Amino acid sequence: MSNKAKRIAIFRFCAPAASKLLSNSKQQLYLCPICGRGYSEESAITGKELTLEDVPPRNMGGRGLLLTCKECNSKAGYKIDYHIKSQLDLQDLAGIFMGQSGGGKSSGTMLINDERFPITVQRKDGCTEIKLIKKANDPTKVNNLKDFMTALSVNGGGDGLEFNINKTVKLDYRLLKIAFLKSGFLLVTAMLGYRYAFDKRLLIVREQISNPEKDLLGTCFWIEQGKAQPFPKRRIISVSDPLPLFLVTYDNGAVILPNPLSPTDIYAIIRKKWEKEQSINFTGKIYEWPEKALMILDSHN
Ligand SMILES: [Zn+2]
């Protein structure tokens, strides 16, 4: 299915739910789940104002689950989703050197005697292969590198010879967590629909996603793997105990989101809990991440 066909399909699936929500609306509109603004089908057809949102971001294996307005999509992409990519880049590079990566490729800079050589690295046949990026390297310096590498192999393991590999990425951990909050919010919205997204409990979440530069929630919504009992990865957990909430789990942690039964000040309660307790045990039902928009709460009412 083309992106255009996907946008139209999502529009047509969600717009009736939006009409129900805006009971006085005669026009079919799609509401951007983040900012709540309404858009006509024309916006989905042209893709100028409504864009397919990969949830979670594509580099985490996400798919176009929902539409968000161009402003929300590009603002978030630039300010927050970017940090997921940075973290994955670092993990890939580390994984390749630890022999964990399954065919992944990464890049960095090799530092030898204060000279810098841009390189790509990948895992190949059980070895770590380092390649110079031809276009990015000064050919006159490459000869020095050849000499160094020859010395390294002649030395049999290179006793006393050292090189470093560096990678510089822009990574802000608070913004990274907000990127996960946004993905989690959109995953649960795809599952439950507009009635969930526009519940008053979610107002603070949507504000935080729209304004990542403002620190509205701190990081109390984030649970590092290890701070709670081990949880299944990439799931939505509908928690009933110690209090009703959703956990959206990722590979290294999870985000806490309100659910329709949560107290309105759920984050204040969670913050107090973290102050008092080292870890929290959660009990609840586990769901797969949705593979398409389901809008369960909207269509059943
Ligand atoms: Zn929007």
Side-chain angles (χ1 to χ4, degrees):
M1 209 196 270
S2 70
N3 278 353
K4 182 181 173 183
K6 279 184 202 160
R7 289 195 305 270
I8 296 171
I10 295 173
F11 181 95
R12 291 188 179 157
F13 183 70
C14 296
S19 302
K20 258 188 232 168
L21 211 64
L22 316 161
S23 46
N24 55 354
S25 167
K26 290 184 190 88
Q27 208 193 349
Q28 288 272 298
L29 292 174
Y30 179 94
L31 304 175
C32 168
I34 297 174
C35 66
R37 276 179 292 217
Y39 293 89
S40 69
E41 185 161 4
E42 186 61 22
S43 310
I45 293 169
T46 62
K48 278 184 185 157
E49 289 166 306
L50 279 179
T51 50
L52 206 56
E53 174 90 32
D54 291 320
V55 190
R58 182 155 290 233
N59 44 31
M60 284 183 69
R63 57 185 91 207
L65 272 191
L66 289 171
L67 306 176
T68 51
C69 77
K70 192 132 205 175
E71 200 182 317
C72 287
N73 194 333
S74 55
K75 194 172 163 187
Y78 176 70
K79 286 189 178 165
I80 56 180
D81 291 346
Y82 179 90
H83 297 274
I84 290 185
K85 185 185 175 297
S86 293
Q87 193 199 33
L88 289 170
D89 281 353
L90 283 181
Q91 279 173 0
D92 280 351
L93 185 63
I96 288 168
F97 278 99
M98 290 188 288
Q100 291 167 349
S101 190
K105 197 172 179 182
S106 187
S107 62
T109 306
M110 196 165 174
L111 281 169
I112 300 171
N113 305 329
D114 295 332
E115 300 274 20
R116 302 169 66 83
F117 301 95
I119 53 160
T120 60
V121 290
Q122 66 178 324
R123 201 76 192 156
K124 219 173 181 182
D125 306 326
C127 296
T128 301
E129 181 187 78
I130 301 173
K131 268 189 176 168
L132 289 172
I133 302 171
K134 240 184 183 172
K135 281 183 280 182
N137 279 286
D138 176 347
T140 57
K141 286 183 187 169
V142 169
N143 283 329
N144 300 343
L145 180 64
K146 280 184 188 153
D147 292 345
F148 180 87
M149 284 299 169
T150 310
L152 199 65
S153 56
V154 169
N155 248 350
D159 281 350
L161 293 174
E162 265 184 29
F163 65 88
N164 289 302
I165 289 178
N166 282 8
K167 188 173 185 77
T168 310
V169 295
K170 210 175 117 194
L171 176 56
D172 176 315
Y173 281 97
R174 191 183 68 84
L175 293 175
L176 175 70
K177 286 162 192 166
I178 293 174
F180 286 124
L181 183 71
K182 178 191 151 201
S183 276
F185 166 73
L186 291 174
L187 280 163
V188 182
T189 295
M191 185 165 94
L192 297 184
Y194 286 132
R195 278 169 193 264
Y196 176 74
F198 300 130
D199 185 293
K200 61 176 192 276
R201 295 167 184 83
L202 273 301
L203 193 62
I204 183 82
V205 172
R206 290 169 46 229
E207 260 179 39
Q208 179 65 91
I209 296 167
S210 299
N211 302 287
E213 66 285 354
K214 290 187 197 161
D215 186 359
L216 301 176
L217 281 175
T219 54
C220 69
F221 60 83
W222 175 257
I223 308 173
E224 204 74 37
Q225 180 80 272
K227 209 174 176 187
Q229 74 272 38
F231 37 72
K233 291 173 179 180
R234 298 184 177 227
R235 294 287 185 274
I236 294 173
I237 307 177
S238 178
V239 172
S240 48
D241 188 68
L243 71 168
L245 52 85
F246 284 126
L247 284 181
V248 177
T249 67
Y250 297 94
D251 296 341
N252 301 316
V255 295
I256 293 174
L257 284 161
N259 82 11
L261 299 172
S262 297
T264 37
D265 55 348
I266 179 142
Y267 289 117
I269 297 171
I270 288 289
R271 202 172 283 132
K272 274 190 199 140
K273 268 196 168 302
W274 284 140
E275 280 166 15
K276 270 196 284 178
E277 298 162 43
Q278 284 298 308
S279 66
I280 305 177
N281 282 343
F282 295 103
T283 313
K285 271 179 113 173
I286 300 167
Y287 298 90
E288 301 273 327
W289 280 1
E291 294 188 357
K292 58 178 186 160
L294 301 169
M295 319 290 274
I296 292 167
L297 291 183
D298 294 336
S299 51
H300 283 198
N301 289 293

